[in-house]
Every structure is written in C-alpha cells, then in structure tokens.
Amino acid sequence: MKVRLAPVLLAAALTLTGCSLESSNDTPAGTVKVVVGYQSKTINTVTAGTLLKAQGYLEKRLQQLTDQGGAKYQVEWQDYDTGAPITAQMVAEKIDIGSMGDYPLLINGSRTQANERAKTALVSVTGYNPKGALNMVVVPPDSTASTINDLAGQQVSASVGSAGHGTLVQALTRAGIDAGKGVEVLNQQPQIGATALESHQVQALSQFVAWPGLLVFQNKAKLLYDGAELGVPTFHGVVARRAYTAEHPEVLQAFLAAQLDATAFQRDKPFDAAKVVADGSGLPQEVVYLYNGPGGTSFDTTLKPGLVDALKGDVPYLKSIGDFAELNVDGFVDSAPLRKAFAANGGDYDKAMASTVNPSLVSGKDPICGRAVTDSARAGEVWIDGADRPQPAADAGCLLRTVQAAKAQGKVIRAAYVPDAELGTRWFADKASWVRDGDAFLPFTTPAAAQRYRQGHPSAVNVSYDQAVTEVRP
C-alpha cells in the first residue's frame, strides 16, 4: 500500500503518541502493580477502559483480595489514541493488560510472540458488531464523492494497523481498487486525520469508533462508507501478557470480573453509562450514546467462534502492511480465564457465548404512536432536550412523528437515533439519507445505500430529513 509517513508499529517516535500516564513509577514494597493500557475515546472498549476505570470496578475487586489477606495492589492506567502504542508498550513489557480493535489485536499477537515475557493472549471481547459497523469512512461535507469507488487516486487518512485501516483495505478491495496502489494512505493518528479532513488536506478519513460519528455530529464530515457493507464481524478485545498473568493469575481474574461488572452496568443502564463515558473521554454524550446505546454495540465479553473466525480471516492483512510473523489465532485465543471468571461470578459462559442477540435493544412503549416496541430492528430513540433520557420510537415513521410533535411544541431535539433500513446500523436520524416510498420513510446511513434501495423500488424518491419530518403523517 502506498503510505505516507512511517508505519505506526515500526516508528519508535509514535510509541508514546497520545499517551497520558496517571501514576508514578514508584511501587511500594509488597505491592503488586498492574498497568492497564486503554483508549478513552475508543468507546467500544469502555468495559475494559473508560467505564471500568471511572466506576473503580477493578480497584474494588483487587481490594477484596487484599481484604481477604492477599497482597496490596496498585493500578496504573495509561490512555492512548490507538492500539499501536499499547502493543509497543507490551512488547517492552511495560503494559500488562490492554484493549484494542481486531486488526490491532492481530498485530499485538504477532509482535509479542517472539518474546516469552511479552507474549500475549486474547482473553475477552469488549464489544462487537456482527456486520462491521464499528468502522466507517467519512468525507468533507462538501465532497462530491458518493461511493467508495470515488476515492480512487485520492488521499485518505487512516491509522495504519488500526481497525479503521483494515476496513478501508477490505472496502477498496471489494470495490475493485488496488488497496496498495489505488489510494494514497496518510498514516495519521485519529485527531490529526480529523484536522486534515477538515482542512481538505485529505479527501477522506477511515477510522474506528467514535471518530466518524463525532465528526458527522459536529458537521465536519458526512458518511461515505458504512463498514457494515462488508458483512464481516468487527470487535474490540482484551489482551494480557502471559508471563504477567502466570505470576499474578488473581489479577487477571479480578480484571475479568471487573469487566463483567462494567458490562452489566453498560447493559442495564446504557444512558447512564454513556454519561460516565462522556465525562471520562471528553466526547459528547450524544455521540457516545449513538454507539453504546440500545441497538448499537453488542457488549458481550465472550470469545464467540464467529469472532475468532473473522480474526482468522483478517490474518492476510498483516502481510499487506509489513513484515509480521505468522500468528496462530487458535493459540492466541485463551478463553479459560474468562470461563473461570464467569463461573466464579455465577454466570453461564457457554450460554452467553451461544447468544448472538444484542443484549441491549430499544424497548418500552412509544408515547407518540401509542404502541409497544416489538421490532427492535426498526426501533429508534429520540432525545428531547430536558428529558431524563431518550424515549423509544417504534419505527422510523414514529420517530419522525415524535420529532415533528416536539418541534411543534418548541422543544429542542438533542439527538435522534434510527437504524439503517438495509444494514441495521444505528445512526443519527438527521444525518441519514432518507427515501420516501409511498407513505413510508426509510433511513439509510449513506447515499449509496439509499441508491441501492431506489434501484429496486422505482417509485421511491430521495427526501431530506426536514422534508421527512414535515411530510410524515401525524
């Protein structure tokens, strides 16, 4: 691939980019230290990062061990922008447990396996999307590009080795564009790429959550490509250094138990969790809730066979970006510690692993249409300013009616969330591409998706969001 700047994993200058260290290097005698690398703005790792940290679940679990007569423990949290510097620190044996996306996980396993002290295992999942909707490609608001094919010959910002970069490679390949020569990839950290996109130094940006949603929410970009078009699961997970966890197995058990605590909180109180994550990451709560609200990310810790198979399918990507050692994925994945944590906390690992239903779905009664939400694949939510939490909308039409009624009363809509009619991706209703087909209004994440629908439905026409809100029948 034609790439500007040195690859992330090979550039020593980038190993600490975006890092904030929150404790000293001094560890009191008799104290066991655990260093956790996380990404505060990668909000689908929150159950092993931002949310976990903010709620103090790990510290509480470790304190329980101390209270039972065990050692004292010290947790050091290190915050990074991408998974690459976490891997670099694990190779250097300076991070013990880390969370990152699927492509970075592969690189982590490949890079660390040569050193027994650095060698890692994939021990849990944080969140996943069965179709790949956690990664997206965005373009400037004034861009004329309407499909991924329009990026041929253009400059695209991506963090090489990231989940967003992996999606870009797959999307270009499927479009018949040589991923190695068809575009020029500028290897940039997400926030640098966002600035480059805003200043038109690049024509597109391919990144992982929450960057695409953030830029679109801020009206600094529009969505060009939804990763769900690939139909390939994408996920984020947790890796742990085998040498460290062999010496301190109780720490890994405490971490996984704490992750289960955070996952339960995320599932049971997604709106409250979004506020915690927003406060901890600096992201708008509206953006966090887009991805982590009901119908968004599936927060499930289990190492599902489908996700492991998807990881195996991603292995060729390693060779496409550099000279990486072959990785035996089956040997890299270790579910035994998580199974033990499930058992110790009264859970059924096999039952949870077998489930492929999103644990958090829109539910309740739609107050505008006056009926219960029965089809979660069509249901959305409307967050009216001043309300305690978003209210359910049974379908896209009911959502439009809710917005219409709220505006008629002079109320402000903080955000409205609706699933894409084709792919199911949860998206901002006011940023979606809307189509009217008879009396029905259908939302799509991208213009390309709306075009695919119109091709099979000649009577369907494009309408703006404001048109849809105005024209929907009360």
Side-chain angles (χ1 to χ4, degrees), residues 7 12 99 109 131 154-155 160 184 193 230 237 293 331 342 353 364 390 429 438 441 474:
S99 57
K131 294 182 179 179
Q154 303 296 306
Q155 290 183 320
V160 174
E184 182 178 5
L230 293 173
F342 258 76
M353 182 178 67
F441 290 88

Side-chain angles (χ1 to χ4, degrees), residues 308-385:
V308 176
D309 287 343
L311 201 62
K312 292 177 182 178
D314 294 338
V315 168
Y317 169 77
L318 292 176
K319 294 298 183 182
S320 76
I321 63 169
D323 184 20
F324 290 100
E326 293 289 344
L327 178 66
N328 180 338
V329 173
D330 288 327
F332 176 50
V333 176
D334 184 5
S335 65
L338 185 58
R339 286 180 176 275
K340 183 177 179 180
F342 258 76
N345 290 275
D348 186 332
Y349 182 85
D350 289 325
K351 181 179 179 181
M353 182 178 67
S355 175
T356 56
V357 177
N358 191 326
S360 179
L361 297 171
V362 178
S363 61
K365 184 176 181 180
D366 181 331
I368 295 298
C369 284
R371 53 189 171 92
V373 173
T374 57
D375 186 354
S376 58
R378 301 174 63 203
E381 293 184 290
V382 179
W383 183 1
I384 299 174
D385 191 31

Side-chain angles (χ1 to χ4, degrees), residues 9-90:
L9 291 171
L10 303 181
L14 289 181
T15 58
L16 293 178
T17 301
C19 163
S20 63
L21 307 183
E22 300 185 5
S23 71
S24 69
N25 293 324
D26 297 328
T27 305
T31 298
V32 176
K33 182 178 180 180
V34 56
V35 183
V36 181
Y38 76 112
Q39 302 169 64
S40 63
K41 289 182 171 57
T42 305
I43 56 177
N44 293 301
T45 64
V46 296
T47 55
T50 309
L51 185 62
L52 181 70
K53 176 177 179 287
Q55 296 298 98
Y57 290 132
L58 177 55
E59 288 80 359
K60 292 174 185 176
R61 288 284 184 170
L62 291 172
Q63 185 60 48
Q64 289 174 2
L65 296 178
T66 301
D67 294 342
Q68 294 167 7
K72 292 183 178 180
Y73 297 89
Q74 176 183 321
V75 182
E76 177 178 315
W77 297 90
Q78 295 187 4
D79 184 8
Y80 297 87
D81 292 323
T82 66
I86 296 176
T87 290
Q89 294 292 77
M90 295 186 93

Side-chain angles (χ1 to χ4, degrees), residues 236-267:
H236 295 71
V238 176
V239 282
R241 284 199 304 114
R242 294 179 184 268
Y244 178 87
T245 56
E247 295 170 2
H248 305 291
E250 80 285 0
V251 174
L252 179 58
Q253 283 302 301
F255 184 92
L256 293 174
Q259 189 188 346
L260 292 175
D261 294 337
T263 302
F265 179 58
Q266 169 62 45
R267 290 179 180 178

Side-chain angles (χ1 to χ4, degrees), residues 376-401:
S376 58
R378 301 174 63 203
E381 293 184 290
V382 179
W383 183 1
I384 299 174
D385 191 31
D388 291 339
R389 59 194 61 249
Q391 65 187 55
D395 56 33
C398 291
L399 181 141
L400 293 173
R401 287 176 57 187

